[in-house]
Amino acid sequence: MSFNHSNSNNGQMSEEKKPEYWAARIAPCNADGFRLQRTSYFNNSKSSPDTSINRQGMAMTNSRQSPTCRWSVTKPCPVPLFGLDNKAVLVHDSAPIVSSRIDQSLRLRSVQAQFDNVLGEASCETSSSVQYIIGLFAGPEGSTYVEVRKMRGCVLAFRGERDAVINAARGLGGKQTERPSAPKLSIPKELMSLYVPPSMSELEDTLERASDQFHSRNRHTMLFALQNLVSMTNANKVYTETAHNMSKLIMQNKSDIRDMLVTIYISEAHNVRDNLSMQICNAVLQILINGIFALSNSVKNDGFLDGECKYFVEQLVPCLVESVGKCHFAHNTCLALNCLCLLTKKSSIACAKAREMDAGNIIQQAELYGKREHLELEEAARSTLFLLQSEIVSR
């Protein structure tokens, strides 16, 4: 048997098969290299009135930047090869100026944000749980592309947020663009006279169903029940008498609903697992605020919290003070401060408990945090601290 092969066969055996596709390493494009043509892709903005142009053509701001600027993008990333959102705009100012303007606008509008100076991104969340990301990218001749991408939440609310961010980036202020509002249709008096609000027994049935839903293993079911009670205790969303009666039933602990609300809040506030925990705490605080506010409007209920809700106050106040100290979520911290403010105003027990926990120093730290991050938190902390100090002196 012969094992000799021809030279051609040897060449075929030794020749390595070339793959059909090859991998390629793509380097990011710089400002002077390849750039996608975007003639009508972006909305160009004019230079803002408070800027001047230097010899190199860079836009420099005349106003002094804040020394506590949280977001300062010095080297924005180039525009990615896949492009930007079609709502992105080109601002004829440098990235440090644009980022500083947006940073100040977010704080004044009390939008919680986390910043990445390297990637040029800001992750934002509003009090209505609208989440979006602001991205800054290098534009031609020192300008900056601004892109705002929605992650979750209401589309209409996001549109207002995007307008505010773009206006701030252009140096036009951080307010949302006024849009023509839809005409409000009033209900005829003939139909209003036919309306019959829910009876007390029907409201009690609603609380019993909510109590059953609170025991569900599905936390989304619990959140749905809480959000329903938020609406039913808000006089701006339901009939005024219905909101007052529902708030009264909750504070009277019908179906043990008040104690369950405190238990849910303590459990979720001590073990913040995810965004759902934040929403649950937010809903509970709104319900309690509506209930305490309904009691505070009546002179007959001045001693109700100290007399009928002693255990409720003793359990809730320490958790509120602890939540203010942790400040996991600025929007919930504002609600916790508002709730604490109402309690100390109507309850001597709450005032003594807050003094025992040295709540004044904790609230002062929250005020300092609000001065840097969140205007609404700063104002809530200042008003709560003033009320707490005045109540302690008067008592």
Side-chain angles (χ1 to χ4, degrees):
M1 180 181 294
S2 175
F3 293 95
N4 295 329
H5 298 279
S6 62
N7 294 334
S8 61
N9 290 337
N10 288 335
Q12 291 178 359
M13 293 293 293
S14 62
E15 183 179 0
E16 181 182 358
K17 274 192 173 182
K18 295 183 178 179
E20 186 175 355
Y21 301 102
W22 290 81
R25 182 177 180 181
I26 301 176
C29 57
N30 53 28
D32 298 329
F34 174 76
R35 180 179 291 112
L36 298 179
Q37 297 296 327
R38 306 171 186 278
T39 53
S40 60
Y41 196 70
F42 295 100
N43 298 321
N44 296 337
S45 67
K46 297 181 180 179
S47 298
S48 56
D50 61 337
T51 59
S52 60
I53 307 300
N54 62 6
R55 293 181 180 180
Q56 286 78 19
M58 297 288 290
M60 303 299 292
T61 181
N62 290 330
S63 59
R64 184 173 55 185
Q65 294 186 3
S66 173
T68 58
C69 182
R70 300 172 295 170
W71 197 25
S72 180
V73 181
T74 56
K75 295 182 179 180
C77 296
V79 175
L81 291 177
F82 52 81
L84 300 178
D85 184 78
N86 58 355
K87 295 291 185 179
V89 299
L90 178 63
V91 179
H92 295 286
D93 291 314
S94 62
I97 296 175
V98 174
S99 59
S100 177
R101 290 171 179 168
I102 296 176
D103 173 24
Q104 296 176 18
S105 170
L106 293 175
R107 195 197 84 85
L108 294 177
R109 293 187 295 108
S110 299
V111 177
Q112 187 163 342
Q114 294 180 348
F115 303 98
D116 189 330
N117 293 330
V118 177
L119 296 179
E121 288 186 347
S123 301
C124 309
E125 183 170 0
T126 67
S127 58
S128 58
S129 298
V130 176
Q131 298 178 0
Y132 57 92
I133 295 179
I134 306 172
L136 302 184
F137 300 90
E141 299 180 356
S143 59
T144 307
Y145 287 116
V146 181
E147 180 187 50
V148 186
R149 306 191 307 272
K150 184 178 81 71
M151 306 307 294
R152 65 183 299 271
C154 175
V155 177
L156 295 178
F158 167 72
R159 185 170 63 177
E161 286 293 320
R162 183 180 59 201
D163 291 344
V165 171
I166 297 303
N167 288 339
R170 291 170 169 169
L172 304 177
K175 296 183 179 180
Q176 299 181 3
T177 304
E178 295 184 1
R179 301 178 182 274
S181 58
K184 295 182 179 180
L185 303 178
S186 59
I187 302 176
K189 295 181 179 180
E190 295 78 9
L191 294 180
M192 286 291 293
S193 61
L194 299 176
Y195 174 74
V196 179
S199 62
M200 294 297 289
S201 61
E202 291 175 336
L203 295 179
E204 291 178 1
D205 292 340
T206 301
L207 291 180
E208 290 181 1
R209 289 193 298 270
S211 177
D212 294 337
Q213 291 174 313
F214 289 165
H215 290 89
S216 173
R217 294 183 178 180
N218 189 340
R219 297 167 69 224
H220 290 277
T221 301
M222 180 192 301
L223 178 60
F224 174 80
L226 289 170
Q227 290 175 339
N228 183 46
L229 292 182
V230 171
S231 299
M232 295 198 67
T233 56
N234 190 344
N236 294 326
K237 295 184 178 180
V238 296
Y239 190 56
T240 305
E241 182 181 350
T242 301
H244 178 77
N245 291 336
M246 179 61 80
S247 300
K248 184 178 178 181
L249 289 174
I250 291 175
M251 296 307 297
Q252 290 175 350
N253 205 22
K254 291 293 183 181
S255 303
D256 297 328
I257 198 73
R258 186 192 65 207
D259 293 341
M260 293 178 65
L261 289 173
V262 176
T263 302
I264 291 172
Y265 178 73
I266 293 176
S267 175
E268 295 291 340
H270 285 173
N271 185 23
V272 179
R273 290 174 280 181
D274 48 19
N275 186 264
L276 189 60
S277 295
M278 299 292 187
Q279 295 184 57
I280 291 175
C281 291
N282 186 286
V284 172
L285 288 173
Q286 290 187 65
I287 296 170
L288 295 178
I289 288 174
N290 293 338
I292 299 172
F293 184 77
L295 290 177
S296 63
N297 287 336
S298 176
V299 181
K300 299 179 181 179
N301 298 321
D302 282 345
F304 182 79
L305 288 175
D306 288 341
E308 302 294 332
C309 306
K310 181 179 179 181
Y311 178 78
F312 161 75
V313 173
E314 291 178 345
Q315 294 295 316
L316 181 59
V317 170
C319 189
L320 292 175
V321 175
E322 184 179 350
S323 299
V324 173
K326 292 181 179 179
C327 197
H328 284 308
F329 190 52
H331 305 303
N332 286 358
T333 305
C334 292
L335 293 176
L337 285 169
N338 293 335
C339 188
L340 184 63
C341 184
L342 290 173
L343 286 174
T344 54
K345 187 176 182 180
K346 285 294 182 179
S347 170
S348 59
I349 298 177
C351 216
K353 201 72 176 178
R355 183 171 60 251
E356 177 186 336
M357 298 187 63
D358 195 17
N361 290 333
I362 297 176
I363 297 174
Q364 284 181 350
Q365 296 299 320
E367 182 182 2
L368 293 177
Y369 178 83
K371 288 181 179 179
R372 300 189 309 266
E373 307 281 343
H374 203 276
L375 178 61
E376 185 179 349
L377 177 58
E378 177 191 357
E379 295 175 346
R382 185 183 298 114
S383 60
T384 304
L385 185 61
F386 175 78
L387 179 63
L388 184 62
Q389 291 175 346
S390 60
E391 290 294 328
I392 290 176
V393 171
S394 62
R395 295 177 191 273

